[in-house]
C-alpha cells in the first residue's frame, strides 16, 4: 500500500501498545483503525477491515 501511494501520501503503522499517547489522543474505536490526515489535521477515521481500493480512494 505504501508503495502504491508513494509521492501522494505517507503511510505509517502505529503499535498503540508502544505509543499509548497516540491511542489516547485519537481513541481508536476498534482495530484495525485508519486515520487520514490532511495538512496535519485529522480528516477521516475508518474502523475495521478496509479494501485496498477504499483506502486508495481516500488518497486520490
Amino acid at each position: 500500500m505504501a508503495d502504491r501511494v508513494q509521492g501522494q501520501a505517507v503511510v505509517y503503522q502505529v503499535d498503540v501498545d508502544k505509543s499509548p499517547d497516540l491511542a489516547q489522543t485519537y481513541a481508536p474505536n476498534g482495530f484495525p483503525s485508519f486515520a487520514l490526515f490532511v495538512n496535519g489535521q485529522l480528516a477521516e477515521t475508518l474502523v475495521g477491515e478496509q479494501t485496498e481500493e477504499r483506502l486508495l480512494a481516500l488518497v486520490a
Side-chain angles (χ1 to χ4, degrees), residues 33-38 41-47 50 54 57-58:
S33 289
F34 301 89
L36 173 69
F37 291 83
V38 177
Q41 299 296 314
L42 182 62
E44 187 166 351
T45 302
L46 302 171
V47 177
Q50 304 294 318
R54 171 72 174 122
L58 292 172

Side-chain angles (χ1 to χ4, degrees), residues 21-38:
D21 56 324
L22 289 176
Q24 185 175 9
T25 300
Y26 297 105
N29 293 324
F31 295 97
S33 289
F34 301 89
L36 173 69
F37 291 83
V38 177

Side-chain angles (χ1 to χ4, degrees):
M1 180 75 187
D3 290 339
R4 291 190 64 187
V5 298
Q6 188 174 18
Q8 296 174 303
V10 179
V11 177
Y12 290 98
Q13 181 175 348
V14 176
D15 180 342
V16 295
D17 291 327
K18 294 181 181 177
S19 301
D21 56 324
L22 289 176
Q24 185 175 9
T25 300
Y26 297 105
N29 293 324
F31 295 97
S33 289
F34 301 89
L36 173 69
F37 291 83
V38 177
N39 297 321
Q41 299 296 314
L42 182 62
E44 187 166 351
T45 302
L46 302 171
V47 177
E49 187 174 341
Q50 304 294 318
T51 64
E52 187 170 340
E53 292 77 23
R54 171 72 174 122
L55 295 174
L56 289 172
L58 292 172
V59 176

